[in-house]
Amino acid sequence: MVYIDEHISNFDLKTALADISEQRREQALRFRYELGQRTCVLAYLLLKKALRQEYGITENPLFEYGEHGKPAIVGHPEIHFNLSHCREAVACAVSNRPVGIDVESVREYKDSLARYTMNDDELRTIAAAGRPDAAFIRLWTMKEAALKLTGRGITDNMKTVLPATGLTFTTVERLERNYIYTVCEERTSYDF
């Protein structure tokens, strides 16, 4: 299940900080700017909402971290989740199987960045698109969601991330709100 919140400025940060785990509060307060604090807190609040609605869990989740820093919920290895945020939105994905999500703002297209991160087929896809900026972000969110699913995070060679076999991707473009997000999950035997 995917939870998205575009209202990053519309909650009382001080009250929300008091309503989350000490672990997450400390993490949020490490952000130098308020926007970072807000998106960190809001992502956690989305996770709390998802856990309550999907699993009936009402306590504040605590995280433990895997080898590459991917968080997991202490005491709930059966629940997989991933968080992401940008200036326009915060995203949370929860699943009963490994999941990755990435949300990114659509920003000015830079050919030099595309050439550094995209392979030749992806560059052709971007060049043929009516909106190269959106095409680039669509591919970028797919790559990052796949890497976040595995827990590896951004690698030195982003060109080789796709196509990721055994994975399914769902991409949603909210161009009127200036962001795109992609959810990546492991394919099951009933996925087509």
Side-chain angles (χ1 to χ4, degrees), residues 14-126:
K14 186 175 182 180
T15 300
L17 282 165
D19 193 37
I20 63 176
S21 71
E22 181 178 339
Q23 179 190 49
R24 190 63 174 194
R25 184 171 39 256
E26 289 174 1
Q27 185 178 6
L29 292 175
R30 281 189 222 122
F31 284 91
R32 186 174 177 184
Y33 298 104
E34 186 177 319
L35 178 61
Q37 293 174 3
R38 287 183 164 283
T39 55
C40 182
V41 169
L42 190 53
Y44 187 83
L45 293 175
L46 280 180
L47 177 61
K48 283 181 60 172
K49 178 180 180 179
L51 293 175
R52 186 176 59 251
Q53 290 181 355
E54 305 296 322
Y55 299 95
I57 297 170
T58 57
E59 68 269 5
N60 282 329
L62 294 177
F63 301 153
E64 56 189 357
Y65 295 90
E67 176 185 350
H68 300 289
K70 183 174 182 176
I73 300 170
V74 173
H76 292 282
E78 75 284 6
I79 301 173
H80 300 271
F81 78 98
N82 203 233
L83 307 172
S84 185
H85 53 80
C86 65
R87 293 177 92 49
E88 286 75 28
V90 174
C92 171
V94 293
S95 180
N96 61 355
R97 57 188 177 182
V99 64
I101 190 167
D102 187 48
V103 60
E104 297 287 338
S105 304
V106 178
R107 53 196 174 274
E108 179 184 351
Y109 174 72
K110 295 188 178 177
D111 189 61
S112 60
L113 180 59
R115 292 194 177 284
Y116 183 72
T117 59
M118 301 291 161
N119 64 40
D120 290 340
D121 288 340
E122 294 161 349
L123 289 170
R124 283 190 283 279
T125 298
I126 293 167

Side-chain angles (χ1 to χ4, degrees), residues 27 64-72 82 144 146-156:
Q27 185 178 6
E64 56 189 357
Y65 295 90
E67 176 185 350
H68 300 289
K70 183 174 182 176
N82 203 233
E144 194 163 339
L147 292 169
K148 289 175 73 177
L149 176 141
T150 64
R152 289 189 328 218
I154 295 175
T155 67
D156 289 336

